[in-house]
């Protein structure tokens, strides 16, 4: 039997080794942002690991910023410097630099951004002619229905606004949808894929992203949102009956509906979620998503009528590679 002698020197060495490991600076890791579009001077919220060690955040345009004091290992808060551009964010702990897998102000392959409203229909205009946020909806005989809560400041210029009550079963109400029609007769970009440069990528490698704002006061609790990319020559413009559809239902599993905590957030939906058909919710579409043929875009409240209020702001619909 071999005897193991433990000496003071070995204990000291072990202690020093443990201390050295505990104090090692770990490589930071960036996974996502709460909202990928944050205006200059706003607070960007980044998620990841080992973020407490970050000393500097470099925004595209080589603009450095210091993390806010309330940051921790998994959440990093930082003020966006003036002039920040689109691209990857870099974080540095003084010895290592790590780039984000996502793009800040991701301007790749924008389908609809509401600043260029060419061939975009539906919803309400959230700003008046002077650029001020509207406070109510003008109804018949110029009567005004006040909004139940204030519209948000933009995250990136103009945005789309859906508002009202979905009070007719399975109806496409103008105030309850946003659509882009590619046909040049309608003012669209022409027969160009909604995925643009990424149209030949595998569906599992791509996602749809957009920014959304839903207030606490009017949490979203249905009907579902149907999202689909219709064909260029659809007779009814949208082409729902010829499309693979995504059912976006963020309220499922919530107690009081879905909201974004009175701030903008980025939604990410894998393109593999675009597979539903119109015959039954349980059956896949007869027309699998083919990005080379998909040119139109629809974001539609659709389903059985509901007494739940709809107050939804959206911006920057885009198809980009998954992170």
């Amino acid at each position: 039997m071999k005897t193991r002698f433990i000496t003071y020197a070995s204990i000291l060495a072990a202690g020093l080794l443990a201390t050295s490991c505990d104090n090692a600076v770990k490589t930071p890791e960036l996974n996502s942002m709460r909202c990928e579009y944050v205006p200059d001077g706003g607070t960007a919220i980044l998620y990841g690991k080992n973020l407490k060690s970050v000393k500097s955040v470099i925004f595209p345009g080589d603009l450095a910023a210091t993390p806010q004091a309330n940051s921790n290992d998994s959440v990093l808060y930082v003020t966006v410097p003036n002039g920040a551009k689109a691209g990857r964010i870099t974080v540095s702990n003084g010895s290592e630099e790590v780039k984000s897998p996502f793009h800040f102000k991701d301007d790749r392959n924008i389908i609809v951004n509401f600043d260029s409203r060419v061939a975009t229909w539906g919803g309400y205009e959230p700003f008046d002619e002077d650029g001020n946020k509207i406070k109510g909806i003008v109804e018949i005989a110029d009567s005004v229905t006040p909004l139940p809560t204030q519209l948000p400041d933009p995250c990136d210029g103009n945005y789309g606004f859906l508002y009202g009550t979905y009070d007719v079963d399975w109806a496409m109400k103008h105030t309850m949808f946003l659509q882009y029609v590619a046909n040049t007769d309608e003012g669209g970009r022409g027969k160009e894929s909604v995925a643009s440069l990424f149209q030949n990528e595998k569906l599992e490698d791509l996602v749809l992203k957009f920014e959304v704002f839903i207030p606490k006061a009017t949490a979203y609790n249905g009907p579902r949102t149907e999202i689909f990319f219709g064909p260029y020559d659809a007779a009814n413009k949208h082409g729902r009956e010829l499309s693979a559809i995504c059912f976006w239902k963020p309220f499922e599993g919530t107690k009081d509906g879905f909201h974004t905590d009175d701030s903008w957030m980025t939604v990410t939906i894998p393109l593999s979620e675009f597979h539903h058909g119109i015959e039954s919710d349980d059956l896949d579409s007869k027309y699998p998503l083919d990005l080379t043929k998909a040119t139109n875009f629809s974001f539609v409240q659709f389903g059985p009528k509901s007494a739940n209020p709809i107050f939804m702001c959206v911006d920057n619909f885009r198809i980009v590679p998954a992170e």
Side-chain angles (χ1 to χ4, degrees):
M1 180 175 181
K2 186 174 181 179
T3 303
R4 182 181 180 191
F5 293 96
I6 301 177
T7 65
Y8 177 80
S10 65
I11 294 174
L12 181 61
L16 287 173
L17 180 60
T19 301
S20 175
C21 290
D22 289 342
N23 292 336
V25 178
K26 298 180 180 179
T27 302
E29 179 181 319
L30 289 176
N31 297 328
S32 62
M33 289 185 72
R34 174 174 174 78
C35 184
E36 292 181 0
Y37 276 80
V38 182
D40 293 358
T43 297
I45 305 174
L46 298 90
Y47 302 115
K49 297 179 181 178
N50 308 320
L51 299 180
K52 191 66 175 175
S53 66
V54 171
K55 300 182 185 304
S56 179
V57 182
I58 300 94
F59 284 83
D62 202 25
L63 300 173
T66 302
Q68 296 177 7
N70 56 339
S71 300
N72 56 50
D73 255 3
S74 56
V75 185
L76 189 151
Y77 302 89
V78 61
T79 302
V80 177
N82 292 333
K85 302 183 183 303
R88 298 183 188 273
I89 293 173
T90 302
V91 294
S92 172
N93 60 12
S95 58
E96 296 175 288
E97 289 189 349
V98 175
K99 287 186 177 293
S100 64
F102 53 84
H103 283 221
F104 178 64
K105 293 185 178 180
D106 197 343
D107 58 357
R108 299 171 299 168
N109 193 45
I110 297 289
I111 303 170
V112 180
N113 65 4
F114 303 99
D115 296 303
S116 306
R117 295 187 67 86
V118 177
T120 303
W121 301 345
Y124 286 102
E125 171 57 53
F127 303 99
D128 63 21
E129 294 179 355
D130 297 321
N132 300 313
K133 290 182 287 186
I134 61 173
K135 296 182 179 180
I137 301 298
V138 178
E139 304 287 359
I140 299 173
D142 291 336
S143 63
V144 178
T145 301
L147 296 178
T149 188
Q150 185 177 4
L151 282 163
D153 291 334
C155 65
D156 180 50
N158 203 10
Y159 52 81
F161 176 39
L162 302 182
Y163 171 69
T165 302
Y166 189 81
D167 52 10
V168 180
D169 290 326
W170 302 100
M172 287 194 182
K173 297 183 62 176
H174 187 268
T175 61
M176 296 288 169
F177 70 71
L178 295 164
Q179 293 181 328
Y180 164 75
V181 181
N183 196 306
T184 52
D185 293 340
E186 306 294 342
R189 293 185 289 263
K191 203 167 186 177
E192 179 180 327
S193 170
V194 289
S196 191
L197 297 176
F198 307 124
Q199 62 181 295
N200 294 315
E201 299 289 331
K202 295 179 180 178
L203 293 183
E204 56 264 32
D205 294 334
L206 297 172
V207 297
L208 173 73
K209 286 190 175 187
F210 59 95
E211 278 62 55
V212 64
F213 181 104
I214 300 175
K216 290 181 181 179
T218 52
Y220 178 39
N221 211 8
R224 71 187 182 211
T225 299
E226 291 194 358
I227 312 172
F228 51 94
F229 311 109
Y232 184 75
D233 54 358
N236 56 10
K237 310 293 193 256
H238 54 76
R240 178 178 180 269
E241 72 285 357
L242 302 172
S243 302
I245 304 170
C246 168
F247 298 159
W248 187 53
K249 298 181 284 186
F251 48 81
E252 283 194 332
T254 65
K255 181 180 179 182
D256 300 312
F258 172 78
H259 64 82
T260 61
D261 202 20
D262 291 336
S263 63
W264 287 93
M265 68 176 291
T266 296
V267 171
T268 301
I269 301 176
L271 288 198
S272 57
E273 292 294 320
F274 288 75
H275 61 82
H276 294 284
I278 63 173
E279 290 82 6
S280 166
D281 286 2
D282 299 324
L283 295 177
D284 284 345
S285 173
K286 297 177 181 177
Y287 305 92
L289 179 56
D290 181 350
L291 291 176
T292 63
K293 299 177 181 179
T295 66
N296 302 338
F297 169 76
S298 295
F299 184 88
V300 185
Q301 302 295 303
F302 206 55
K305 63 183 178 181
S306 171
N308 300 312
I310 301 296
F311 190 113
M312 186 184 301
C313 303
V314 289
D315 203 359
N316 296 317
F317 289 98
R318 56 198 182 274
I319 291 177
V320 294
E323 313 304 354

